[in-house]
Amino acid sequence: MRLFPLTLALAASLLLLSLASLLHGSGIDASRLLSGQALPELEWQLLWQLRLPRLLASASAGALLASAGAAVQARFRNPLAEPGLIGINSGAALAAAAALSLGAGLYAVSASAFAGGLSSLLLIRLLGQTQQGGSRLILSGLAISSLLGSLLTLLITTLPDGSLRVVIFWLMGSFASVDWPQAALLCVAAPLIWLALHRQWRFLNALQLGETAAFHLGFEVRRREWQVVILAALAAGLVVSACGMIGFIGLMGPHLARQLVGGNARRLLWIAPMLGALLAIASDWLARSLLAPSELPVGVITSLIGAPFFLWLLRQGNGKEWHA
């Protein structure tokens, strides 16, 4: 599919979905706003202080996760590699939960999540490099994710009641408690990390031929690999620190983009973040709407959609590795 018309279509879809999510629900008279009338003070505060930062955070988080997923998949040459499935999210969650339990602030939690996600990814890379193949990477990631999940459970059982409630609610994944500083951090990080990853598209394309081929094509493989890995861990860590565990968007966004524009990293890294943002906004809207006035965690919605999607990929044979 041609890139320009697809970009316009996705941008229009993002705008319409954002408006629908922003205005739908109790507390805001959408007809008054759309007709150009001024909103009452209470409705305006609801829109400005709660709905808008939540919308911006969900769009930015979806774009970050999809960008990280596309980069990780290209780096490890496996379309099932994803920040949640290969353990990045679990490492980030454990470190961020530890920081939250100590009462750390926003930037300390974000730094802890980044360090935890990067450490987890490096450990998985170390375990997976003894044998070529993305299947070993996935298995190593699942094992590390299980171990880190157990450590996280152990941490939770030792927390006092006040910290326990904060950490458990955060772990379920939600945009409900995102405030303007967190939304601003994600909004600034999303385009910067996307741009840094997009600049690696030639290297990521060369990697599909294998590391040796990429080296002979003139790329500094180890240095470039570190850059991609650190950016992916930073993207996942920022999302986890602000919104908790939101899985499968980093799997679904890049795969859907691959169906639309093919495997060229330049086109893939352009379209995947837009699809990730769409998925995140739609999931958040469903989380608010399905059981209104109660609210579901966004992580539950993405898992309910993403887990069957993952199984469908396996059944279709899309979990096979990309060989040179």
Side-chain angles (χ1 to χ4, degrees):
M1 185 176 294
R2 292 191 175 184
L3 195 60
F4 184 69
L6 179 59
T7 300
L8 288 181
L10 290 176
S13 300
L14 269 172
L15 178 61
L16 292 175
L17 184 62
S18 297
L19 287 174
S21 176
L22 195 63
L23 300 179
H24 178 262
S26 60
I28 295 178
D29 186 353
S31 61
R32 178 192 295 268
L33 186 63
L34 294 175
S35 63
Q37 301 179 45
L39 287 176
E41 180 65 22
L42 183 60
E43 293 186 26
W44 173 252
Q45 289 298 321
L46 174 62
L47 187 69
W48 178 254
Q49 295 296 337
L50 296 178
R51 295 277 180 88
L52 188 56
R54 180 172 183 160
L55 172 66
L56 293 174
S58 61
S60 300
L64 282 167
L65 290 173
S67 298
V72 168
Q73 288 173 14
R75 168 60 196 93
F76 294 110
R77 293 188 291 162
N78 191 300
L80 296 184
E82 187 259 348
L85 291 176
I86 65 172
I88 299 178
N89 284 359
S90 297
L94 177 60
L100 281 172
S101 68
L102 297 174
L106 168 63
Y107 297 107
V109 172
S110 297
S112 300
F114 165 63
L118 180 59
S119 300
S120 176
L121 182 56
L122 293 177
L123 179 58
I124 293 161
R125 180 72 179 97
L126 180 64
L127 292 174
Q129 71 182 359
T130 57
Q131 175 181 323
Q132 294 297 323
S135 59
R136 185 177 180 89
L137 169 74
I138 299 297
L139 293 174
S140 299
L142 291 174
I144 294 299
S145 183
S146 178
L147 173 62
L148 295 174
S150 298
L151 292 175
L152 182 57
T153 302
L154 181 62
L155 172 65
I156 288 173
T157 58
T158 64
L159 294 177
D161 288 344
S163 298
L164 180 63
R165 284 192 293 270
V166 172
V167 171
I168 288 181
F169 181 78
W170 168 80
L171 281 176
M172 291 187 291
S174 175
F175 301 114
S177 59
V178 173
D179 55 19
W180 269 113
Q182 291 172 315
L185 179 61
L186 291 175
C187 286
V188 171
L192 292 177
I193 292 177
W194 167 79
L195 181 61
L197 286 172
H198 194 269
R199 293 180 63 182
Q200 301 284 353
W201 69 267
R202 291 184 178 86
F203 170 63
L204 294 174
N205 278 342
L207 276 182
Q208 308 319 305
L209 302 174
E211 292 185 13
T212 302
F215 175 77
H216 288 299
L217 287 172
F219 293 101
E220 298 179 62
V221 174
R222 295 305 172 198
R223 182 176 67 84
R224 293 291 192 99
E225 177 190 54
W226 269 99
Q227 291 174 356
V228 171
V229 164
I230 288 174
L231 288 168
L234 178 59
L238 284 170
V239 174
V240 169
S241 67
C243 314
M245 300 283 281
I246 299 175
F248 291 103
I249 289 179
L251 173 71
M252 294 186 289
H255 183 78
L256 294 173
R258 194 172 293 110
Q259 301 302 307
L260 293 172
V261 298
N264 187 304
R266 184 180 187 181
R267 297 161 64 87
L268 190 63
L269 283 166
W270 180 263
I271 295 298
M274 301 179 74
L275 289 170
L278 279 170
L279 288 169
I281 294 171
S283 297
D284 184 50
W285 188 10
L286 286 174
R288 282 196 298 112
S289 305
L290 286 178
L291 298 180
S294 300
E295 184 171 318
L296 290 170
V298 176
V300 171
I301 300 295
T302 58
S303 295
L304 286 173
I305 299 171
F309 187 87
F310 176 77
L311 294 174
W312 176 78
L313 286 180
L314 286 178
R315 184 172 179 81
Q316 295 296 314
N318 288 319
K320 60 188 179 182
E321 302 153 22
W322 294 334
H323 293 290

